[in-house]
Amino acid sequence: MALMKVKFNQKKRVKLAQGLWLMNWFSVFAGILVFSMGLFLKIELRKRSEVMDNSESHFVPNSLILMGILSCAFNGLAGKICYDSLDPAKFAKWKPLLKPYLALCFFFNILIFFTALICFLMRGSLDSTLAHGLKNGMKFYRDTDTPGRCFMKKTIDMLQIEFKCCGNNGFKDWFEIQWISNRYLDFSSKEVKDRIKSNVDGRYLVDGVPFSCCNPSSPRPCIQYQVTNNSAHYSYDYQTEELNLWRRGCREALLHYYSGMMSSMGAVVLLVWLFEMSVMVGLRLLHTSLESIANPEDPECESEGWILEDSLKDTLKSALESLKKIGKFNQVQADTEGAEGEEGGKTPAISTVS
């Protein structure tokens, strides 16, 4: 028994073809939207590529861009097929191509669905990428005279100001690295010498943070040096002064920003996938209803359209049997080739007569 069998007359076939033509052009615009989202996300990721450890995060925008291009191509072609289906003479040239085209559409929809899932599942990979990238970026903060790293200070500062964050996981991350360049340290000072000697790696570590960590909403002037020394400042307790510095780490802020963006894009791609599935189903009904016309010379006669010619169970069973036959055929072919090789390798016996 066919799956989703529907009876059509000429009027219904025409309405289906016209509706599908319109839906395909809506799908083209949806493809442009998906492409634009991928391009926007790629630009946003490239803006902060210096604080990202690898290029894995670009897999999502690249997938969106590819799906957008394929959607425009597939749906533009489907729109042409639906338009030509109104004319039997024009539709005749598409008949042999429709089955392979529908198979490609099926795999294309699977790819769209997985692209939507990837948008939701990339949070873990993005988290590790940001954690390593920000850690390395903070190490290079002081290298304003080193080629290739001279803009890292500006990048980190603008990042902390824009996202209202400080450090990788929090402001205390700055206490563990030397973020002040040796160029701006007075090595004749006893305080500088003592700090460098007290550190195993010979680094100048202070309980201070860059100016970009300061919260402008604080009612008092920002305290960015001796942050944990309560006695160094009047009426100050660093554990209760929540408005002095940004408490949130930049990893968390960026992760929330990008994962929220990707989740929204994933939801849009899922909607596009549902729309594409409905278009594919409609195209299959149109295809089968036109093929099942009993008398091609009488376009007004009734016909039947369906999604699957047999039930889902029977279709899966026949597909498995076809795969088994292909496997057996390949095995027999391999055995035949092996036997021919063995026969060719035999040396004919030569008998001698005395």
Side-chain angles (χ1 to χ4, degrees), residues 16 76-78 100 110 113 117 138 161 170 177 180 188-189 204 206 226 232 238 263 267 271 275 326 330:
L16 178 61
L77 182 59
I110 291 174
F113 181 73
L117 285 183
M138 289 169 65
I161 291 170
I177 62 170
I180 302 172
S188 62
S189 168
Y204 181 75
V206 292
Q226 294 185 330
Y238 85 95
S263 296
L271 290 174
F275 195 74
I326 292 170
N330 291 334

Side-chain angles (χ1 to χ4, degrees), residues 72 116 132 209:
C72 291
H132 290 96
V209 296

Side-chain angles (χ1 to χ4, degrees), residues 123-144:
R123 182 182 175 91
S125 176
L126 188 63
D127 189 8
S128 60
T129 295
L130 288 168
H132 290 96
L134 282 166
K135 189 176 180 181
N136 291 331
M138 289 169 65
K139 286 179 182 177
F140 303 142
Y141 182 87
R142 63 175 181 168
D143 298 338
T144 51

Side-chain angles (χ1 to χ4, degrees), residues 16-29 79 82 275:
L16 178 61
Q18 290 174 341
L20 285 173
W21 178 82
L22 188 62
M23 288 175 71
N24 274 296
W25 284 110
F26 275 124
S27 295
V28 169
F29 289 118
C82 293
F275 195 74

Side-chain angles (χ1 to χ4, degrees), residues 64-349:
L64 291 172
I65 289 169
L66 178 62
M67 289 301 104
I69 293 170
L70 289 177
S71 179
C72 291
F74 274 103
N75 290 293
L77 182 59
K80 173 65 175 169
I81 293 171
C82 293
Y83 181 79
D84 287 348
S85 66
L86 299 171
D87 185 352
K90 289 182 179 179
F91 181 72
K93 65 181 180 181
W94 293 110
K95 270 190 175 182
L97 300 173
L98 269 173
K99 278 189 178 179
Y101 175 76
L102 285 167
L104 286 174
C105 284
F106 178 74
F107 288 111
F108 169 65
N109 280 294
I110 291 174
L111 288 176
I112 290 182
F113 181 73
F114 278 110
T115 301
L117 285 183
I118 288 166
C119 290
F120 293 109
L121 299 175
M122 278 297 289
R123 182 182 175 91
S125 176
L126 188 63
D127 189 8
S128 60
T129 295
L130 288 168
H132 290 96
L134 282 166
K135 189 176 180 181
N136 291 331
M138 289 169 65
K139 286 179 182 177
F140 303 142
Y141 182 87
R142 63 175 181 168
D143 298 338
T144 51
D145 299 326
T146 306
R149 300 176 186 170
C150 53
F151 296 107
M152 187 57 74
K153 178 184 179 298
K154 181 182 176 182
T155 301
I156 296 289
D157 283 333
M158 292 303 295
L159 179 69
Q160 294 188 145
I161 291 170
E162 182 181 353
F163 287 91
K164 299 179 180 180
C165 59
C166 184
N168 189 350
N169 298 306
F171 67 89
K172 289 186 179 180
D173 292 337
W174 289 107
F175 301 172
E176 300 171 4
I177 62 170
Q178 181 180 336
W179 55 273
I180 302 172
S181 174
N182 289 338
R183 181 181 178 182
Y184 304 107
L185 293 176
D186 181 10
F187 286 94
S188 62
S189 168
K190 184 179 182 302
E191 182 189 351
V192 173
K193 287 180 181 179
D194 290 344
R195 282 192 178 274
I196 292 174
K197 286 178 182 179
S198 64
N199 187 269
V200 178
D201 298 326
R203 294 177 297 170
Y204 181 75
L205 303 181
V206 292
D207 57 341
V209 296
F211 77 97
S212 52
C213 284
C214 293
N215 184 350
S217 300
S218 176
R220 69 184 299 159
C222 181
I223 295 172
Q224 63 180 108
Y225 294 105
Q226 294 185 330
V227 174
T228 58
N229 187 359
N230 293 334
S231 60
H233 312 282
Y234 177 73
S235 184
Y236 173 74
D237 183 357
Y238 85 95
Q239 292 182 334
T240 59
E241 292 281 345
E242 294 183 1
L243 290 177
N244 181 47
L245 303 174
W246 300 118
R247 296 281 170 166
R248 186 169 65 160
C250 289
R251 180 184 60 82
E252 181 188 346
L254 283 172
L255 184 63
H256 182 265
Y257 175 71
Y258 283 122
S259 60
M261 189 185 297
M262 287 183 184
S263 296
S264 300
M265 290 179 178
V268 172
V269 176
L270 270 180
L271 290 174
V272 172
W273 172 72
L274 290 171
F275 195 74
E276 292 281 358
M277 286 294 291
S278 63
V279 170
M280 187 181 72
V281 169
L283 192 60
R284 174 61 176 167
L285 287 172
L286 180 65
H287 167 226
T288 51
S289 66
L290 289 170
E291 275 201 335
S292 63
I293 293 176
N295 185 9
E297 294 179 0
D298 182 17
E300 294 185 4
C301 67
E302 289 190 349
S303 62
E304 290 183 341
W306 55 82
I307 303 300
L308 296 175
E309 194 168 357
D310 299 316
S311 64
L312 184 62
K313 184 180 178 181
D314 292 337
T315 303
L316 290 173
K317 190 177 178 181
S318 61
L320 287 171
E321 286 176 358
S322 299
L323 288 172
K324 285 179 182 178
K325 285 179 182 178
I326 292 170
K328 286 179 181 178
F329 176 75
N330 291 334
Q331 187 177 0
V332 169
Q333 193 174 18
D335 291 343
T336 305
E337 289 175 357
E340 287 176 357
E342 287 177 4
E343 287 177 5
K346 288 180 181 177
T347 307

